[in-house]
Amino acid sequence: MGQLGQTFGPTDLEPSEVYLDELCGTTPPDPDHAGLIAGVARLLPDLNFHLALTRTGWHRIGGVVNEDGDRIAGNLRQWAETESDHDMFALYERYADAGYLTTRYDGRTHYFVAPMGDRAPNFVQLEVEEIVEVVDRPLFVDDEVPDDIEDLLDPPGAFGARLEPMVLAPPRYIFRVITDVADLVAEHVTSGGSDLRYIRFLEEWDRSSAGEATRFCDHFVLRLLPFQDRFGEQKVEATPLPIDALTVPKEGIGTLSGRPLADYLTDYDKAAGFPMAWYFAMVLLKKTLTAIPPAVFTDVKHNYRYLPERDIAVLEGWMHKPYSF
């Protein structure tokens, strides 16, 4: 393993994935994740992970149970395909009166980070899901015959038909991915074909006063979404996620200039906890903050400079080639 400031190659972390998967499968979740963090420390002693962010509010389709909560099938899609041979009317006739219920997995994604240096990409990110299976809704919503499998999985009125979410099993961890962000950046720069906006975001962090003052992974993680491109190659889309929510500006910010604008930007950065927070919020949130760069440059032309030169240079780059997520 490397020392501070060095990075891991993908082959350094890859062997650990099997053990991380086993660790997550055998470690019961707890509120502060102490057991999981201790287990990861034993597997990767040179990486000092801490919880950075938990993303909530998502769920995925589960299986099928009867009215008593006894398991009928672990996977709703597979069960429906096997039982119906894609004939939804036959499935309905067979099970309409069975009292079967679907389940769902309510999930949270935990992002753990281990800093590996001062530059923005120098950190390792570990993503672990925590899921709990609960009873969701009747198999057939409003006693309607689904049009197809997809309609069975996500029928109109599904949310309104939800039942009291009886927990069917204790929560459990699922290992998702461990990523050396510096290697991810290097791979994407070399291979191309991926969305490289996040790399520009990282580079601008290092060039701005934000990178001079603090580490990127103290304020952001990367949401990584694997996808297959039109050539069938596996790619990853990366989007910065703020660890602390960034404030959406109020209406009228675009009319500010001079001292009121300088004060607003200073206050925004102070509230966010790092310099140039308003700029990175603009890239992520868009909103009315996009009116600020022209106002700043109007002030610069009138010899009123309230941003460091390094930040003005980043802002000038955005003016010439704007981007957002």
Side-chain angles (χ1 to χ4, degrees):
M1 295 291 181
Q3 301 299 315
L4 185 66
Q6 295 178 334
T7 60
F8 294 83
T11 54
D12 294 319
L13 291 176
E14 193 172 340
S16 300
E17 294 182 357
V18 173
Y19 299 105
L20 287 168
D21 186 66
E22 180 180 346
L23 174 68
C24 289
T26 56
T27 304
D30 58 77
D32 60 3
H33 313 291
L36 180 64
I37 292 174
V40 172
R42 288 192 296 271
L43 291 174
L44 298 168
D46 291 342
L47 290 172
N48 186 19
F49 280 101
H50 66 271
L51 178 65
L53 174 69
T54 295
R55 185 172 63 86
T56 62
W58 61 267
H59 69 274
R60 64 171 63 107
I61 296 168
V64 184
V65 296
N66 64 21
E67 292 174 306
D68 296 324
D70 298 325
R71 175 77 60 195
I72 303 300
N75 185 298
L76 174 58
R77 179 187 291 275
Q78 291 177 1
W79 175 83
E81 290 175 347
T82 300
E83 293 291 321
S84 70
D85 195 25
H86 296 275
D87 184 343
M88 291 296 100
F89 186 76
L91 186 73
Y92 178 83
E93 281 196 318
R94 189 173 180 183
Y95 293 110
D97 298 323
Y100 285 177
L101 309 170
T102 68
T103 73
R104 72 175 186 271
Y105 291 101
D106 287 340
R108 302 192 293 167
T109 303
H110 304 298
Y111 293 84
F112 300 89
V113 299
M116 294 299 293
D118 295 329
R119 297 188 66 78
N122 291 154
F123 69 100
V124 176
Q125 179 173 290
L126 170 65
E127 295 176 51
V128 175
E129 294 179 349
E130 181 182 343
I131 64 170
V132 59
E133 188 178 17
V134 300
V135 169
D136 189 22
R137 58 170 174 82
L139 178 61
F140 301 106
V141 172
D142 296 328
D143 205 29
E144 294 284 340
V145 180
D147 292 333
D148 51 28
I149 290 287
E150 299 306 321
D151 195 34
L152 176 72
L153 299 180
D154 187 21
F159 185 81
R162 278 187 171 178
L163 305 170
E164 188 70 25
M166 179 178 71
V167 175
L168 297 171
R172 59 190 175 95
Y173 289 128
I174 298 176
F175 168 68
R176 186 168 183 270
V177 67
I178 186 168
T179 307
D180 182 323
V181 174
D183 277 333
L184 181 70
V185 168
E187 179 186 342
H188 282 175
V189 168
T190 302
S191 64
S194 293
D195 185 345
L196 303 184
R197 287 175 297 174
Y198 84 98
I199 298 179
R200 179 176 172 182
F201 196 92
L202 292 168
E203 290 173 343
E204 289 177 339
W205 182 277
D206 283 334
R207 294 204 310 268
S208 74
S209 54
E212 188 177 38
T214 185
R215 293 181 303 208
F216 176 84
C217 66
D218 289 336
H219 301 279
F220 289 90
V221 296
L222 292 177
R223 184 181 182 187
L224 304 175
L225 296 176
F227 69 97
Q228 193 174 71
D229 68 12
R230 59 194 179 99
F231 302 108
E233 294 185 21
Q234 289 297 322
K235 301 291 184 180
V236 175
E237 179 182 272
T239 304
L241 289 179
I243 292 173
D244 295 313
L246 296 169
T247 303
V248 177
K250 298 178 181 179
E251 294 296 327
I253 298 305
T255 64
L256 297 180
S257 63
R259 182 60 182 270
L261 178 57
D263 289 343
Y264 174 79
L265 300 185
T266 298
D267 291 343
Y268 192 101
D269 290 353
K270 184 178 180 181
F274 60 95
M276 275 290 268
W278 67 269
Y279 172 79
F280 295 105
M282 176 189 73
V283 173
L284 291 175
L285 301 175
K286 298 181 282 291
K287 308 293 182 183
T288 53
L289 283 171
T290 54
I292 291 178
V296 169
F297 274 94
T298 297
D299 289 340
V300 168
K301 289 178 182 178
H302 290 89
N303 293 318
Y304 184 41
R305 293 172 175 260
Y306 37 83
L307 295 180
E309 289 301 319
R310 61 193 301 160
D311 294 346
I312 291 176
V314 169
L315 200 56
E316 188 172 19
W318 187 90
M319 290 281 288
H320 288 308
K321 189 179 181 180
Y323 77 110
S324 63
F325 287 88

